[in-house]
Amino acid sequence: MSENPAELFIEVLLEEGHEAELDELTRQLKAEVQDLSVDSVEDVTNGSAPDGTKALDITVIGQMAVTLAPTIIPPLFELLKSWVERKPSTPVKIKVRIGKRTAQIEYDPTKTTAKDMEVLVKTLGKSLKV
């Protein structure tokens, strides 16, 4: 595990009623994130399953938690940018926490230009001292 790891929460967004597509997109993105030198990529859960059910916990579709060295944040953002550009109607929210510092951005390719995203990544990196 990295020293002083950063925690990122990534959320893929789709319109309601597209849960199967959202699950598939999230799995695809998760596989690509795992190919980076990250410490871990975990599903986000929403607590325990109701009593009387066999499930261990309830996984939140469209979300993942990533633990990584702060130096891996720029390559991760480049991956996210590339991934979203390949799926132009799929916005992504990213919340980053390093120690007590946090930042959140939402990248919607229908509203954000590639130049805007580049500026966001640089600003985020500076604000978190990546």
Side-chain angles (χ1 to χ4, degrees):
M1 180 159 276
S2 304
E3 191 172 316
N4 299 318
E7 296 175 318
L8 283 80
F9 298 92
I10 301 171
E11 181 177 8
V12 179
L13 306 170
L14 286 181
E15 293 179 17
E16 268 190 60
H18 297 274
E19 286 78 15
E21 181 183 3
L22 178 60
D23 185 46
E24 180 62 28
L25 288 171
T26 305
R27 289 174 192 272
Q28 290 171 6
L29 178 58
K30 184 177 177 183
E32 290 187 42
V33 170
Q34 288 172 326
D35 287 341
L36 295 175
S37 297
V38 298
D39 294 336
S40 68
V41 181
E42 304 291 333
D43 293 327
V44 174
T45 60
N46 196 14
S48 298
D51 289 338
T53 63
K54 294 182 180 184
L56 297 175
D57 55 31
I58 300 170
T59 299
V60 179
I61 296 174
Q63 296 183 16
M64 67 187 81
V66 182
T67 304
L68 69 166
T71 57
I72 304 298
I73 292 174
L76 175 63
F77 275 53
E78 286 301 314
L79 169 80
L80 292 172
K81 179 180 159 203
S82 168
W83 188 84
V84 170
E85 287 171 350
R86 288 180 272 142
K87 292 150 181 46
S89 62
T90 311
V92 176
K93 274 189 193 177
I94 304 144
K95 183 175 183 180
V96 182
R97 181 173 58 221
I98 301 176
K100 294 181 181 179
R101 296 171 297 189
T102 62
Q104 181 171 318
I105 64 169
E106 183 171 345
Y107 179 53
D108 182 342
T110 64
K111 299 176 184 174
T112 309
T113 67
K115 179 82 170 151
D116 292 338
M117 183 61 173
E118 189 176 317
V119 170
L120 280 171
V121 170
K122 286 180 182 178
T123 303
L124 181 62
K126 288 177 185 175
S127 71
L128 295 171
K129 295 182 180 145
V130 175

